[in-house]
Amino acid sequence: MKLKQPLGHIYKNLLITTTNDVWAYFSCPSDYVIGQNQEAQEKQKQKWNQFLQSLRKFEDFELFLNPHAYNLEERLRAFSEDGDPIADDVTKNIIERTLENFETQLRIMTTERLYVGIKLSSVSSASSMRGKFQELLDFCVGKILALNQYQLTVDADFLMRYRLLEAEIFQLVGTVNARRLTEQELIQVCRYPYVRGMPTSFSTDVTEKDTYSLTDTLIDPIKEQGLLELRNFEGTSYIETLPIHQFAPNLAYNHVVELLQSLPFPVGFHIKGCFEPLKGTRGLKGKSSRAGKRLKNSVKEMNSFGDAEMKSSKFNRYALTDLNNKIDLKIPVIRWLGVFYVFGQDAEECRSRVRSVISMAESRNVTLVKGLADQVPLFHQLLPGNPLKRQKNWLHYTTVQGITEMMLAVDNRIGDNIGIPIGMISELKNTRNLSPKEIAYTSRKPVFLNPTIGNQNDIADKKANSPHIAITGPTGNGKSYLAKFIFFIYSLMKGKGLYVDPKSEFFDWIMQVINNPLNQKQFPATCEFIRTHFHQVRLDPDLVENKGVLDPFCFIQNQVAAKDMAQDLFEEIYDFSNAREKKSRLALLDGIDAVLKEREKGKCVGLLHVLDAMLENEQEEVRDTANLIKKSVQGSILELAFSYGENEGLNLDKKITILEVLGLDMPRAETPSHDYSATQRKSVMLMMCIGKFCELFGLRNRDETTVVLFDESWIFNSSRNGRAIIKAMRRVGRSFNNTLIIVTQSVKDTAEEDDTGNFGRIFAFDDKDERKEILKHLGLELSEENIDWLKNLPKYHCLYLDLRGRVGKMLVYCPYEELHQMFQTVKRSHSATAEMAFSQ
């Protein structure tokens, strides 16, 4: 067989082949679709069904999915430009280590790009008979010239004819949001098969334009059996082309192209297709009739021998009947060749990847073959601009729907386009006894977090306008670990941060890590940044200097807000709703007003002055109420919020502050509020004060970016006053460049019907009691399949709803050793380590 290179000339997005055929090429973006959203899947198939059917009159087309460089270094450098200059050293260090980690894991990070090529030269653009005749004559002349190695000249007449056809196709490809390739991109498309698997194959930076330079590669099918070795000045790679041999009788839901994109290495895909004529001498109607006669004779012969008809024969008769029905309805049928191609730096790597691809395809009842003796013919058949006409093996005859069932132009990436990776998209089902690092190495798709875009409203595909983040799930699933990781990334940005830590543990973990001499030697930039800019404020009610630092009359300057907060605190500690307490309630409100008037005069006041005013009341029941409240406050953690104004209110001006309160006794999330102990009720009250302070922290400077992380924030939903505070914190939001990160037990805490301050990002860990609520809140279908999917969510994994409204499964993974140590919440014992070592 004589194999020729089809590449002739390239003009913009048009390829003129050596046989003087003309093809137009376009690039299609991938749409975000995951298997858990069947409605979106069907819409995607319908869109591509409509598009492919519109190509019917052009006859020949090709679709191919090529891996492209993700440009990770450029993305990380772009992210670092918005960082805080004082964190520059640690940001650069993290970026360098990120690049090193992914280079070790993947060598080069890739994404997929889908291309569409459509043959123009078989279609007439003329409207008159004379014009059609002239085009037919030009076509015949072009073919005669091609036989003598002559090619068409790209002149004004050429452009006039094909510009109209190309413009028509451009309208058609608009249904899949495609764009024209630039000349540079089309050059790379033609060059790609000759450098596949080499580092330069993922780049579009190509300077060569002549045919010889683009195709200057030695193709050796002998050195490694069944593989092609590609050698040129850029390096060496090994490739194997795997044709699709057979599908299950029903092609529905095989989604094989989408599935193979989840592998930890890039896999390419290529379709060459041609619309078959339905009737005529070469049409499917005649072929179907002849096949029907052969089947009928075969059945008669079996009956004559007394044999029962085989199942395959029955199926073939059914298939022929179905084909005849489609021909009568003029439903287009496509003859096509579909292949996957795999590559590696050496033969063993390539063969290992081939085994993985074949095995995964078999899981969807799709049989791939190696085609050991046909690697060279397949290589040339799949070159851009080669039609399908001469191909005989591994052909499929299906409707357009048969192709769309493979799910061609879909992607499951979530997260931001630039930023620091906080995890990996993980499709691994069996994660038993695997560490996060081992699971991460089975994926090639990181999840990036970019803190700077939460407030931006000029990003075209961003659906959420709220910068706030919610992390939900039961205790022990890893919420706090993820929250600390996200907070640290925010700390690298400009502005100030506040971490409210009711468990009083984060700062101790940090200091333990940065005081370790080994960490100081290995990670000096991180240790120095944290030592300099992370500050602890630990409120100890036993210390005199902490008395009243959370007194609303001390830290809330606004008169109305101070009054509301004071009233809320008193109502939390004592039930004034009883009808018998009307006098006490009235005395309380009068006392608050009187004390605030004293504050206006410049006097130092506090909540205890309100109780003193009530103690001077003539009514005995009022004095008893004041006495009861005062006794409850004395000697308890509430002394942080009740004072005579002798100390200034809490005022934080450091870059990063970790706020802790000693002596808190937080109730469990499932404990009803009426079952709280006295100490727990006081702890909740104190959290209300801290919540109000967090709101003011975000409001104090509109021009300064702030982030507040509130751990155990579910506590605000235990009372009406608490819900009002968290709602106010959420409404600070965009106008004040404030981001609120809440860590809570229930996904229900992230939305209320009357609350417009929603969360732009939600990380939801599995909760067996809330699976339906989680799916509903994240916009996924409430099906048994999805419930089981959530139920089987592996350890270290969560669902992530990003700013673009995409939802996917994410492995929480921090590859930075010193940060991983800081984010721990439980130290592993020796026996626990041994337990893991001896697990089966």
Side-chain angles (χ1 to χ4, degrees):
M1 183 193 305
K2 190 174 181 180
L3 301 171
K4 293 183 178 180
Q5 160 61 247
L7 173 60
H9 296 311
I10 291 175
Y11 177 77
K12 294 188 177 179
N13 69 322
L14 299 181
L15 168 64
I16 301 94
T17 71
T18 53
T19 57
N20 289 326
D21 286 326
V22 182
W23 291 68
Y25 286 87
F26 306 86
S27 174
C28 301
S30 295
D31 296 314
Y32 178 78
V33 178
I34 60 171
Q36 276 58 50
N37 194 335
Q38 293 186 3
E39 182 179 353
Q41 286 182 329
E42 294 308 311
K43 286 182 179 178
Q44 176 75 358
K45 294 176 188 177
Q46 184 59 35
K47 181 175 74 171
W48 275 86
N49 197 325
Q50 178 185 349
F51 164 62
L52 291 177
Q53 292 205 49
S54 70
L55 303 181
R56 185 175 183 177
K57 77 171 186 175
F58 296 95
E59 296 184 1
D60 289 288
F61 69 93
E62 60 180 332
L63 305 170
F64 48 100
L65 195 69
N66 286 349
H68 274 263
Y70 197 70
N71 300 324
L72 179 62
E73 184 172 0
E74 296 178 19
R75 293 169 185 260
L76 293 174
R77 302 296 179 201
F79 163 77
S80 66
E81 292 179 2
D82 281 331
D84 195 329
I86 65 177
D88 193 45
D89 289 342
V90 66
T91 302
K92 287 181 178 178
N93 178 262
I94 285 179
I95 288 175
E96 290 172 0
R97 290 159 63 191
T98 302
L99 292 171
E100 182 181 342
N101 288 338
F102 283 115
E103 184 177 351
T104 301
Q105 177 183 345
L106 304 171
R107 286 200 294 272
I108 183 168
M109 188 177 295
T110 59
T111 183
E112 294 79 23
R113 188 176 299 175
L114 182 68
Y115 298 94
V116 177
I118 303 167
K119 185 178 174 183
L120 306 183
S121 49
S122 58
V123 179
S124 173
S125 61
S127 56
S128 64
M129 185 63 70
R130 180 175 179 178
K132 292 180 183 293
F133 178 78
Q134 184 64 46
E135 287 184 355
L136 178 61
L137 182 62
D138 290 343
F139 176 79
C140 294
V141 170
K143 290 300 180 183
I144 294 172
L145 290 173
L147 293 175
N148 294 281
Q149 308 302 315
Y150 291 101
Q151 285 193 269
L152 294 177
T153 302
V154 181
D155 55 15
D157 291 337
F158 173 90
L159 295 177
M160 177 58 70
R161 177 187 175 190
Y162 289 107
R163 182 177 60 83
L164 296 174
L165 285 172
E166 194 277 341
E168 179 183 347
I169 291 180
F170 184 64
Q171 295 297 320
L172 298 178
V173 298
T175 58
V176 290
N177 302 315
R179 63 169 180 83
R180 295 179 173 99
L181 289 188
T182 65
E183 190 167 303
Q184 185 77 9
E185 289 173 328
L186 184 51
I187 290 172
Q188 164 63 3
V189 164
C190 294
R191 169 181 176 264
Y192 179 77
Y194 297 92
V195 294
R196 183 176 292 149
M198 301 177 194
T200 54
S201 68
F202 306 111
S203 171
T204 57
D205 185 16
V206 184
T207 56
E208 302 92 342
K209 290 192 177 182
D210 61 279
T211 304
Y212 179 79
S213 298
L214 291 174
T215 60
D216 185 17
T217 296
L218 291 175
I219 304 171
D220 185 355
I222 299 175
K223 184 176 181 180
E224 295 290 342
Q225 184 181 7
L227 305 182
L228 295 183
E229 182 188 65
L230 306 182
R231 294 195 306 270
N232 59 27
F233 292 110
E234 299 178 12
T236 302
S237 68
Y238 294 83
I239 67 170
E240 182 163 356
T241 305
L242 305 173
I244 299 176
H245 173 60
Q246 191 175 18
F247 289 95
N250 189 347
L251 274 66
Y253 304 110
N254 68 78
H255 298 180
V256 65
V257 177
E258 175 193 26
L259 177 70
L260 291 177
Q261 289 180 45
S262 66
L263 287 167
F265 52 85
V267 178
F269 181 68
H270 203 130
I271 282 181
K272 290 274 188 177
C274 179
F275 285 88
E276 286 286 281
L278 298 180
K279 298 182 180 180
T281 55
R282 297 174 54 249
L284 285 176
K285 187 69 174 178
K287 294 179 182 179
S288 174
S289 298
R290 291 189 291 272
K293 289 179 182 178
R294 288 195 298 270
L295 272 177
K296 187 180 295 184
N297 293 333
S298 176
V299 172
K300 286 182 179 179
E301 186 176 344
M302 284 188 292
N303 289 336
S304 66
F305 286 102
D307 296 333
E309 185 179 5
M310 298 176 65
K311 288 184 178 180
S312 59
S313 177
K314 291 181 180 180
F315 176 78
N316 289 337
R317 286 195 293 113
Y318 168 79
L320 275 176
T321 303
D322 184 60
L323 175 61
N324 289 328
N325 291 335
K326 287 180 168 56
I327 292 172
D328 292 339
L329 294 172
K330 297 182 179 180
I331 297 175
V333 175
I334 299 175
R335 174 170 56 95
W336 58 277
L337 166 71
V339 304
F340 292 93
Y341 52 81
V342 183
F343 50 81
Q345 284 192 331
D346 54 59
E348 184 53 40
E349 181 182 58
C350 186
R351 288 194 174 101
S352 174
R353 292 179 172 184
V354 165
R355 289 192 292 269
S356 297
V357 170
I358 291 176
S359 176
M360 188 165 284
E362 286 178 349
S363 70
R364 296 294 174 90
N365 295 317
V366 178
T367 303
L368 305 181
V369 294
K370 294 185 178 182
L372 300 180
D374 293 285
Q375 291 297 305
V376 173
L378 283 170
F379 178 90
H380 284 82
Q381 175 65 79
L382 297 171
L383 292 174
N386 259 343
L388 188 61
K389 291 181 180 177
R390 295 181 180 178
Q391 180 67 30
K392 295 182 179 180
N393 298 323
W394 305 298
L395 294 178
H396 304 276
Y397 291 81
T398 71
T399 61
V400 168
Q401 186 177 357
I403 293 178
T404 61
E405 286 295 333
M406 292 188 289
M407 295 294 287
L408 296 173
V410 298
D411 190 14
N412 65 346
R413 294 182 186 272
I414 53 176
D416 304 321
N417 293 328
I418 66 173
I420 300 296
I422 56 173
M424 303 290 288
I425 296 173
S426 171
E427 299 296 336
L428 192 66
K429 292 182 172 60
N430 184 13
T431 62
R432 186 171 180 262
N433 295 335
L434 294 181
S435 67
K437 182 177 181 179
E438 291 171 321
I439 300 172
Y441 269 58
T442 66
S443 172
R444 60 186 176 90
K445 297 179 181 179
V447 180
F448 292 102
L449 178 74
N450 181 6
T452 62
I453 65 170
N455 279 343
Q456 304 299 313
N457 56 8
D458 56 350
I459 299 174
D461 58 344
K462 191 161 78 76
K463 294 185 178 180
N465 291 319
S466 170
H468 301 322
I469 300 173
I471 304 173
T472 72
T475 302
N477 278 20
K479 300 190 307 297
S480 293
Y481 182 97
L482 175 59
K484 293 168 186 175
F485 193 6
I486 292 174
F487 183 79
F488 182 82
I489 295 174
Y490 271 84
S491 74
L492 303 178
M493 302 291 101
K494 298 172 184 175
K496 291 184 171 63
L498 172 62
Y499 187 113
V500 179
D501 184 15
K503 293 176 282 191
S504 302
E505 62 176 15
F506 186 28
F507 195 80
D508 291 339
W509 277 101
I510 289 176
M511 296 309 296
Q512 181 179 335
V513 172
I514 68 171
N515 289 332
N516 186 323
L518 183 61
N519 289 331
Q520 292 173 359
K521 182 178 179 180
Q522 289 184 323
F523 315 108
T526 305
C527 292
E528 181 60 28
F529 173 70
I530 291 177
R531 182 180 292 106
T532 306
H533 301 292
F534 276 57
H535 296 271
Q536 178 191 43
V537 174
R538 177 168 286 180
L539 301 182
D540 185 346
D542 293 333
L543 298 179
V544 176
E545 59 268 26
N546 286 333
K547 304 290 186 183
V549 292
L550 292 176
D551 192 317
F553 288 169
C554 297
F555 74 88
I556 303 178
Q557 300 305 313
N558 181 276
Q559 196 87 344
V560 175
K563 178 178 180 178
D564 291 342
M565 187 65 204
Q567 184 177 343
D568 290 344
L569 281 176
F570 280 114
E571 289 178 349
E572 284 288 340
I573 200 172
Y574 188 83
D575 184 8
F576 288 94
S577 60
N578 195 303
R580 291 176 296 178
E581 300 293 341
K582 284 185 178 180
K583 293 180 181 178
S584 296
R585 181 181 177 83
L586 181 61
L588 170 69
L589 297 177
D590 288 340
I592 292 174
D593 290 337
V595 172
L596 285 174
K597 287 180 180 179
E598 292 295 309
R599 192 177 75 163
E600 286 182 352
K601 298 176 182 178
K603 294 184 179 180
C604 293
V605 296
L607 292 183
L608 291 179
H609 284 113
V610 177
L611 293 177
D612 287 348
M614 293 177 67
L615 287 171
E616 295 176 359
N617 193 283
E618 297 178 354
Q619 302 290 330
E620 183 179 359
E621 60 189 80
V622 174
R623 295 195 301 272
D624 289 343
T625 299
N627 247 322
L628 181 61
I629 296 175
K630 199 165 187 176
K631 291 292 184 182
S632 298
V633 169
Q634 289 175 348
S636 74
I637 59 172
L638 288 181
E639 289 189 340
L640 293 171
F642 285 76
S643 71
Y644 288 109
E646 61 269 31
N647 293 320
E648 291 187 3
L650 192 62
N651 184 18
L652 307 179
D653 57 359
K654 304 293 184 181
K655 176 172 175 59
I656 302 296
T657 301
I658 300 175
L659 180 61
E660 304 172 354
V661 180
L662 293 183
L664 286 179
D665 179 17
M666 301 301 296
R668 297 176 63 87
E670 59 270 19
T671 304
S673 57
H674 56 77
D675 288 339
Y676 288 174
S677 66
T679 306
Q680 289 172 340
R681 195 172 299 279
K682 293 173 183 178
S683 298
V684 170
M685 289 177 59
L686 210 58
M687 292 284 278
M688 303 301 170
C689 297
I690 296 174
K692 190 65 179 180
F693 175 79
C694 291
E695 177 192 347
L696 299 177
F697 179 83
L699 284 169
R700 62 184 182 179
N701 188 346
R702 189 185 295 269
D703 297 325
E704 182 180 58
T705 302
T706 53
V707 57
V708 176
L709 190 151
F710 214 118
D711 206 346
E712 303 291 347
S713 62
W714 59 267
I715 199 68
F716 289 106
N717 290 286
S718 62
S719 70
R720 175 181 57 81
N721 296 329
R723 288 190 290 271
I725 290 174
I726 197 68
K727 189 181 298 185
M729 292 167 62
R730 289 159 62 169
R731 286 177 175 169
V732 174
R734 294 177 59 205
S735 59
F736 282 85
N737 289 320
N738 174 255
T739 298
L740 172 66
I741 305 172
I742 68 166
V743 183
T744 185
Q745 301 276 336
S746 172
V747 74
K748 298 174 185 176
D749 297 341
T750 63
E752 294 184 23
E753 293 182 1
D754 60 340
D755 188 3
T756 58
N758 61 339
F759 290 86
R761 296 181 175 102
I762 297 178
F763 299 86
F765 290 84
D766 177 39
D767 186 337
K768 62 183 179 63
D769 297 323
E770 290 194 348
R771 286 178 182 138
K772 291 184 178 180
E773 288 79 5
I774 292 172
L775 294 172
K776 182 178 179 181
H777 195 67
L778 298 184
L780 297 176
E781 297 171 355
L782 294 179
S783 65
E784 289 300 322
E785 181 182 358
N786 283 354
I787 291 175
D788 287 341
W789 177 64
L790 185 56
K791 178 181 179 180
N792 295 319
L793 203 65
K795 190 177 181 181
Y796 316 118
H797 291 67
C798 67
L799 300 187
Y800 176 26
L801 170 66
D802 68 12
L803 291 170
R804 291 169 171 82
R806 302 173 301 193
V807 182
K809 183 172 68 171
M810 182 189 95
L811 164 73
V812 177
Y813 174 57
C814 174
Y816 317 107
E817 178 58 32
E818 79 282 22
L819 300 183
H820 173 68
Q821 295 175 31
M822 293 177 194
F823 305 154
Q824 297 296 313
T825 55
V826 178
K827 183 178 293 186
R828 180 182 288 183
S829 65
H830 293 292
S831 59
T833 303
E835 182 74 18
M836 289 296 296
F838 288 98
S839 62
Q840 297 296 323

mmCIF file of all heavy atoms in Angstrom, residues 530-547:
data_model
loop_
_atom_site.group_PDB
_atom_site.id
_atom_site.type_symbol
_atom_site.label_atom_id
_atom_site.label_comp_id
_atom_site.label_asym_id
_atom_site.label_seq_id
_atom_site.Cartn_x
_atom_site.Cartn_y
_atom_site.Cartn_z
ATOM 1 N N ILE A 530 4.813 32.600 59.078
ATOM 2 C CA ILE A 530 3.847 32.325 60.149
ATOM 3 C C ILE A 530 4.316 32.944 61.461
ATOM 4 O O ILE A 530 3.514 33.537 62.200
ATOM 5 C CB ILE A 530 3.634 30.807 60.286
ATOM 6 C CG1 ILE A 530 2.897 30.278 59.052
ATOM 7 C CG2 ILE A 530 2.862 30.480 61.554
ATOM 8 C CD1 ILE A 530 2.696 28.787 59.049
ATOM 9 N N ARG A 531 5.590 32.830 61.770
ATOM 10 C CA ARG A 531 6.109 33.399 63.015
ATOM 11 C C ARG A 531 5.909 34.917 63.046
ATOM 12 O O ARG A 531 5.624 35.492 64.104
ATOM 13 C CB ARG A 531 7.588 33.062 63.166
ATOM 14 C CG ARG A 531 8.191 33.589 64.484
ATOM 15 C CD ARG A 531 9.659 33.230 64.610
ATOM 16 N NE ARG A 531 9.847 31.794 64.784
ATOM 17 C CZ ARG A 531 10.301 30.981 63.838
ATOM 18 N NH1 ARG A 531 10.635 31.473 62.647
ATOM 19 N NH2 ARG A 531 10.439 29.699 64.078
ATOM 20 N N THR A 532 6.026 35.553 61.895
ATOM 21 C CA THR A 532 5.950 37.015 61.833
ATOM 22 C C THR A 532 4.530 37.533 61.763
ATOM 23 O O THR A 532 4.207 38.558 62.379
ATOM 24 C CB THR A 532 6.743 37.528 60.600
ATOM 25 O OG1 THR A 532 8.065 37.011 60.652
ATOM 26 C CG2 THR A 532 6.786 39.052 60.588
ATOM 27 N N HIS A 533 3.654 36.839 61.048
ATOM 28 C CA HIS A 533 2.354 37.424 60.718
ATOM 29 C C HIS A 533 1.151 36.689 61.292
ATOM 30 O O HIS A 533 0.022 37.158 61.133
ATOM 31 C CB HIS A 533 2.210 37.515 59.192
ATOM 32 C CG HIS A 533 3.270 38.350 58.544
ATOM 33 N ND1 HIS A 533 3.361 39.710 58.724
ATOM 34 C CD2 HIS A 533 4.310 38.004 57.724
ATOM 35 C CE1 HIS A 533 4.388 40.178 58.039
ATOM 36 N NE2 HIS A 533 4.986 39.173 57.425
ATOM 37 N N PHE A 534 1.335 35.548 61.941
ATOM 38 C CA PHE A 534 0.225 34.859 62.601
ATOM 39 C C PHE A 534 0.294 35.171 64.095
ATOM 40 O O PHE A 534 1.319 34.913 64.735
ATOM 41 C CB PHE A 534 0.316 33.344 62.382
ATOM 42 C CG PHE A 534 -0.282 32.868 61.083
ATOM 43 C CD1 PHE A 534 0.167 33.376 59.875
ATOM 44 C CD2 PHE A 534 -1.294 31.922 61.068
ATOM 45 C CE1 PHE A 534 -0.360 32.939 58.675
ATOM 46 C CE2 PHE A 534 -1.836 31.474 59.859
ATOM 47 C CZ PHE A 534 -1.370 31.992 58.664
ATOM 48 N N HIS A 535 -0.779 35.712 64.618
ATOM 49 C CA HIS A 535 -0.798 36.112 66.037
ATOM 50 C C HIS A 535 -1.966 35.447 66.753
ATOM 51 O O HIS A 535 -3.061 35.313 66.212
ATOM 52 C CB HIS A 535 -0.905 37.632 66.160
ATOM 53 C CG HIS A 535 0.286 38.351 65.603
ATOM 54 N ND1 HIS A 535 1.399 38.638 66.354
ATOM 55 C CD2 HIS A 535 0.543 38.815 64.359
ATOM 56 C CE1 HIS A 535 2.286 39.264 65.594
ATOM 57 N NE2 HIS A 535 1.797 39.372 64.382
ATOM 58 N N GLN A 536 -1.707 35.067 67.977
ATOM 59 C CA GLN A 536 -2.720 34.421 68.793
ATOM 60 C C GLN A 536 -3.312 35.426 69.777
ATOM 61 O O GLN A 536 -2.595 36.173 70.442
ATOM 62 C CB GLN A 536 -2.096 33.249 69.568
ATOM 63 C CG GLN A 536 -3.070 32.528 70.497
ATOM 64 C CD GLN A 536 -2.337 31.570 71.422
ATOM 65 O OE1 GLN A 536 -1.288 31.903 71.962
ATOM 66 N NE2 GLN A 536 -2.886 30.373 71.599
ATOM 67 N N VAL A 537 -4.635 35.439 69.866
ATOM 68 C CA VAL A 537 -5.331 36.192 70.910
ATOM 69 C C VAL A 537 -6.156 35.171 71.687
ATOM 70 O O VAL A 537 -7.167 34.676 71.189
ATOM 71 C CB VAL A 537 -6.237 37.291 70.330
ATOM 72 C CG1 VAL A 537 -7.050 37.940 71.443
ATOM 73 C CG2 VAL A 537 -5.406 38.328 69.599
ATOM 74 N N ARG A 538 -5.686 34.830 72.856
ATOM 75 C CA ARG A 538 -6.351 33.818 73.678
ATOM 76 C C ARG A 538 -7.037 34.527 74.840
ATOM 77 O O ARG A 538 -6.379 35.073 75.732
ATOM 78 C CB ARG A 538 -5.344 32.791 74.179
ATOM 79 C CG ARG A 538 -5.936 31.739 75.099
ATOM 80 C CD ARG A 538 -4.973 30.590 75.334
ATOM 81 N NE ARG A 538 -4.875 29.723 74.160
ATOM 82 C CZ ARG A 538 -4.101 28.640 74.110
ATOM 83 N NH1 ARG A 538 -3.343 28.314 75.150
ATOM 84 N NH2 ARG A 538 -4.075 27.895 73.031
ATOM 85 N N LEU A 539 -8.356 34.518 74.822
ATOM 86 C CA LEU A 539 -9.135 35.213 75.850
ATOM 87 C C LEU A 539 -9.345 34.281 77.046
ATOM 88 O O LEU A 539 -10.069 33.294 76.971
ATOM 89 C CB LEU A 539 -10.480 35.663 75.271
ATOM 90 C CG LEU A 539 -10.399 36.613 74.068
ATOM 91 C CD1 LEU A 539 -11.795 37.023 73.618
ATOM 92 C CD2 LEU A 539 -9.572 37.839 74.409
ATOM 93 N N ASP A 540 -8.696 34.639 78.137
ATOM 94 C CA ASP A 540 -8.797 33.863 79.374
ATOM 95 C C ASP A 540 -9.612 34.685 80.374
ATOM 96 O O ASP A 540 -9.190 35.764 80.811
ATOM 97 C CB ASP A 540 -7.401 33.594 79.928
ATOM 98 C CG ASP A 540 -7.426 32.670 81.152
ATOM 99 O OD1 ASP A 540 -8.524 32.462 81.716
ATOM 100 O OD2 ASP A 540 -6.356 32.174 81.539
ATOM 101 N N PRO A 541 -10.806 34.215 80.756
ATOM 102 C CA PRO A 541 -11.653 34.997 81.663
ATOM 103 C C PRO A 541 -11.031 35.199 83.046
ATOM 104 O O PRO A 541 -11.468 36.073 83.800
ATOM 105 C CB PRO A 541 -12.944 34.172 81.758
ATOM 106 C CG PRO A 541 -12.552 32.794 81.350
ATOM 107 C CD PRO A 541 -11.447 32.951 80.363
ATOM 108 N N ASP A 542 -10.008 34.421 83.378
ATOM 109 C CA ASP A 542 -9.367 34.575 84.682
ATOM 110 C C ASP A 542 -8.381 35.740 84.722
ATOM 111 O O ASP A 542 -7.943 36.141 85.800
ATOM 112 C CB ASP A 542 -8.631 33.280 85.059
ATOM 113 C CG ASP A 542 -9.593 32.125 85.304
ATOM 114 O OD1 ASP A 542 -10.750 32.396 85.677
ATOM 115 O OD2 ASP A 542 -9.198 30.962 85.088
ATOM 116 N N LEU A 543 -8.019 36.258 83.556
ATOM 117 C CA LEU A 543 -7.070 37.370 83.508
ATOM 118 C C LEU A 543 -7.811 38.693 83.573
ATOM 119 O O LEU A 543 -8.800 38.903 82.847
ATOM 120 C CB LEU A 543 -6.228 37.299 82.229
ATOM 121 C CG LEU A 543 -5.347 36.042 82.069
ATOM 122 C CD1 LEU A 543 -4.599 36.091 80.749
ATOM 123 C CD2 LEU A 543 -4.387 35.911 83.250
ATOM 124 N N VAL A 544 -7.340 39.588 84.433
ATOM 125 C CA VAL A 544 -8.006 40.876 84.633
ATOM 126 C C VAL A 544 -8.062 41.686 83.344
ATOM 127 O O VAL A 544 -9.059 42.336 83.049
ATOM 128 C CB VAL A 544 -7.275 41.678 85.741
ATOM 129 C CG1 VAL A 544 -7.907 43.058 85.897
ATOM 130 C CG2 VAL A 544 -7.305 40.913 87.067
ATOM 131 N N GLU A 545 -6.989 41.636 82.547
ATOM 132 C CA GLU A 545 -6.940 42.458 81.331
ATOM 133 C C GLU A 545 -7.923 41.997 80.259
ATOM 134 O O GLU A 545 -8.162 42.705 79.279
ATOM 135 C CB GLU A 545 -5.523 42.471 80.743
ATOM 136 C CG GLU A 545 -4.972 41.107 80.360
ATOM 137 C CD GLU A 545 -4.183 40.455 81.476
ATOM 138 O OE1 GLU A 545 -4.450 40.772 82.658
ATOM 139 O OE2 GLU A 545 -3.304 39.637 81.170
ATOM 140 N N ASN A 546 -8.526 40.802 80.444
ATOM 141 C CA ASN A 546 -9.498 40.315 79.462
ATOM 142 C C ASN A 546 -10.944 40.599 79.859
ATOM 143 O O ASN A 546 -11.864 40.321 79.082
ATOM 144 C CB ASN A 546 -9.335 38.803 79.260
ATOM 145 C CG ASN A 546 -8.107 38.457 78.450
ATOM 146 O OD1 ASN A 546 -7.645 39.252 77.641
ATOM 147 N ND2 ASN A 546 -7.568 37.266 78.676
ATOM 148 N N LYS A 547 -11.157 41.132 81.073
ATOM 149 C CA LYS A 547 -12.529 41.394 81.518
ATOM 150 C C LYS A 547 -13.207 42.396 80.582
ATOM 151 O O LYS A 547 -12.712 43.502 80.355
ATOM 152 C CB LYS A 547 -12.536 41.968 82.938
ATOM 153 C CG LYS A 547 -11.825 41.114 83.987
ATOM 154 C CD LYS A 547 -12.591 39.847 84.295
ATOM 155 C CE LYS A 547 -11.929 39.089 85.463
ATOM 156 N NZ LYS A 547 -12.587 37.822 85.762
#
